[in-house]
Each structure stands twice: as structure tokens, then as C-alpha cells.
């Protein structure tokens, strides 16, 4: 049967990371996107978890491997292993908690210090369903994103609003850079840290480091 592909076969593997303060909804955005699940009483993430989802873009199978860690400092896994090889990031704040928006600059700085400058970043204002409690306006979110040249969306993991759009936009933007680079084969331009056609990101190394420090996975 032509067109049949086993589950684990893919043309591209992209590592994405979720970052942002504790309680903003990172784990629920991930479970909404990968399993269409939401948990109102989810516990703080300890260490690192990850989940994958494969998409079809331009007839290619693109597998996103999305890493999720604790926003709370004491639960966080070692930073460099978490960020290593990431080609996309979703930086999340909670639209009802001004302090989480206030910390976005710090998260972006840490991300920039540990990743390639060409990483695709999207700022996400989550919990848009809590309309009566909104404390950070959509304009403020947009303005910050424009200033920092990152993408922006408001989402609700609870109502499943924009969650798929946000992840897919990031993955599409990464794919654009990668496929453009494949066309310009041989060039070693600014996108050189992004994976090229058929190349995958080695996550085994990070996974084993995390295992060694007694960290968890899903
Ligand atoms: N109303 C509403 N609540 C949400 C939404 N997303 C997450 N929550 C709730 O916010 C709380 C924290 O969500 P988590 O996904 O665990 O947050 P986190 O960012 O992973 O937190 P850490 O793992 O501690 O860094 C939970 O009670 C969720 O049910 C949303 O879109 N709307
Ligand atoms: Mg979490």
C-alpha cells in the first residue's frame, strides 16, 4: 500500500520548549495540543516532561517534540540541557497575573542566552477565557512581542482557543526556515543552527542527562 508510514517515521524533528512562570498553563497547553486534554487541578511540573505530535506540512511529516518544565525555580531541570537544540519556543504568561507578564523579559533573556538567535519564539497570553479577570491587555502583549520581534497570540487551554494555532504557527515558521535552507543548499547563512532536511535533533543526550539527575519524563 503506497503512502503507508509507520508512526515513528518522520522527515523533520523539531524540538520546542515551553517556558514561563509557574501556573501560567504551560502543561495544559501541551496536553491540550498533544492529547486534547485539560486539567483544572493540574500539579506543578517537577523536572522535565515532553510530548510529541506529528503534522503534515507540504507532504512532509514534521514531528514536534515539545519539552515542558517547571516555572518554579526549585523544580527546574538544568537549564542548558533543557534549551539545547531547541528551534522553537512558546513563552507563556497568564493574562490575569501581571507578575507573570512582568517576568517575560527575564525568560526571553534566558532563552536567548541558551539558544540560537534564529529560534522561532511565540509569546502567549494564556487563560483568555477568564475575561472578567484580565489584567494584561492584548495591546500590551502585542506591543512587547513587536518590540522583541517575536510572534504573539492569546490562548485558552481550557476552551481550546488558539492552542493549535499557536503551536502550528511556530512549527510552520520553523519549517519555512528549514525548507528555504534546503532550497539554498550549500549556503551557511544565519539559519545554520536550525536542522537541515533529513537532519534530526539529538535529544537522547539531554534525556540521559535528565535521567541521570533523577528527573522524570512522561
Ligand atoms: N481558566 C483557565 N485556567 C487554566 C488555563 N490553562 C491552565 N489553567 C489552570 O492553571 C493552573 C496551572 O496550570 P499548569 O498547566 O499546571 O501550569 P504550568 O505553567 O505548567 O505550571 P508549572 O508546572 O508550575 O510551571 C491549573 O489549575 C490549570 O487548570 C486556561 O487556559 N484557562
Ligand atoms: Mg507544568
Amino acid at each position: 500500500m503506497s503512502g503507508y508510514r509507520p508512526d515513528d517515521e518522520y522527515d523533520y524533528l523539531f524540538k520546542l520548549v515551553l517556558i514561563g512562570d509557574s501556573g501560567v498553563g504551560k502543561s495544559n497547553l501541551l496536553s491540550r495540543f498533544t492529547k486534547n486534554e485539560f486539567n483544572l487541578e493540574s500539579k506543578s511540573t517537577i523536572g522535565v516532561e515532553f510530548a510529541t505530535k506529528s503534522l503534515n506540512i507540504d507532504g512532509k511529516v514534521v514531528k514536534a517534540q515539545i519539552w515542558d518544565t517547571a516555572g518554579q525555580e526549585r523544580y527546574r531541570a538544568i537549564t542548558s540541557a533543557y534549551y539545547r537544540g531547541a528551534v522553537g519556543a512558546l513563552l507563556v504568561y497568564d493574562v490575569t497575573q501581571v507578575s507573570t507578564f512582568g517576568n517575560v523579559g527575564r525568560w526571553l533573556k534566558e532563552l536567548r542566552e541558551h539558544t540560537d538567535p534564529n529560534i522561532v519564539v511565540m509569546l502567549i497570553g494564556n487563560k483568555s477565557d477568564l475575561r472578567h479577570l484580565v489584567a494584561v491587555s492584548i495591546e500590551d502583549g502585542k506591543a512587547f512581542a513587536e518590540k522583541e520581534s517575536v510572534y504573539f497570540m492569546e490562548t485558552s487551554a481550557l476552551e481550546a482557543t488558539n492552542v493549535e494555532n499557536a503551536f502550528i504557527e511556530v512549527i510552520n515558521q520553523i519549517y519555512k526556515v528549514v525548507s528555504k535552507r534546503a532550497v539554498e543548499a550549500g549556503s551557511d547563512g544565519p539559519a545554520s543552527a536550525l536542522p537541515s532536511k533529513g537532519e534530526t535533533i539529538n535529544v537522547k543526550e539531554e534525556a540521559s542527562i535528565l535521567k541521570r539527575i533523577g528527573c522524570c519524563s512522561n
Side-chain angles (χ1 to χ4, degrees):
M1 191 173 89
S2 75
Y4 170 78
R5 311 183 68 140
D7 279 355
D8 59 347
E9 224 182 77
Y10 50 82
D11 298 295
Y12 297 94
L13 177 65
F14 297 158
K15 175 178 171 180
L16 272 58
V17 290
L18 281 158
I19 51 172
D21 280 4
S22 182
V24 297
K26 299 180 296 297
S27 300
N28 275 283
L29 286 165
L30 181 59
S31 63
R32 177 61 84 191
F33 179 59
T34 58
K35 297 184 281 193
N36 201 19
E37 282 175 16
F38 178 83
N39 182 357
L40 250 186
E41 283 146 32
S42 63
K43 294 204 178 73
S44 241
T45 305
I46 297 176
V48 174
E49 295 178 0
F50 54 83
T52 61
K53 181 152 171 157
S54 291
L55 306 173
N56 203 307
I57 309 177
D58 270 358
K60 303 277 184 206
V61 178
V62 175
K63 185 168 175 176
Q65 182 183 60
I66 307 152
W67 292 46
D68 176 27
T69 190
Q72 233 172 314
E73 197 67 44
R74 66 193 165 114
Y75 288 141
R76 291 181 65 200
I78 40 176
T79 307
S80 53
Y82 186 70
Y83 288 117
R84 191 176 307 139
V87 290
L90 290 94
L91 201 185
V92 188
Y93 66 91
D94 175 344
V95 297
T96 72
Q97 299 292 331
V98 177
S99 62
T100 66
F101 183 63
N103 285 332
V104 154
R106 233 182 290 169
W107 284 107
L108 194 59
K109 183 167 177 283
E110 184 180 282
L111 178 76
R112 299 264 190 233
E113 282 168 1
H114 290 88
T115 54
D116 182 83
N118 295 291
I119 187 169
V120 175
V121 182
M122 180 171 290
L123 177 66
I124 290 187
N126 187 42
K127 308 197 188 182
S128 63
D129 55 283
L130 299 173
R131 288 166 197 90
H132 53 298
L133 296 173
V134 168
V136 182
S137 71
I138 193 164
E139 288 76 22
D140 285 351
K142 264 189 204 156
F144 183 91
E146 269 171 32
K147 180 164 72 75
E148 296 292 341
S149 305
V150 299
Y151 296 93
F152 173 72
M153 260 183 214
E154 279 197 348
T155 59
S156 166
L158 185 149
E159 289 180 342
T161 310
N162 263 347
V163 178
E164 202 158 17
N165 286 344
F167 280 99
I168 287 177
E169 178 69 13
V170 170
I171 294 162
N172 267 324
Q173 292 302 333
I174 299 166
Y175 181 80
K176 259 194 205 166
V177 178
V178 170
S179 53
K180 185 165 167 261
R181 206 176 73 120
V183 173
E184 294 165 354
S187 81
D188 194 18
S192 58
L194 291 171
S196 60
K197 193 174 190 301
E199 225 176 277
T200 59
I201 299 154
N202 184 2
V203 296
K204 281 199 191 109
E205 193 192 339
E206 280 91 340
S208 67
I209 292 169
L210 297 170
K211 262 189 210 128
R212 257 185 279 138
I213 62 163
C215 186
C216 41
S217 77
N218 51 345

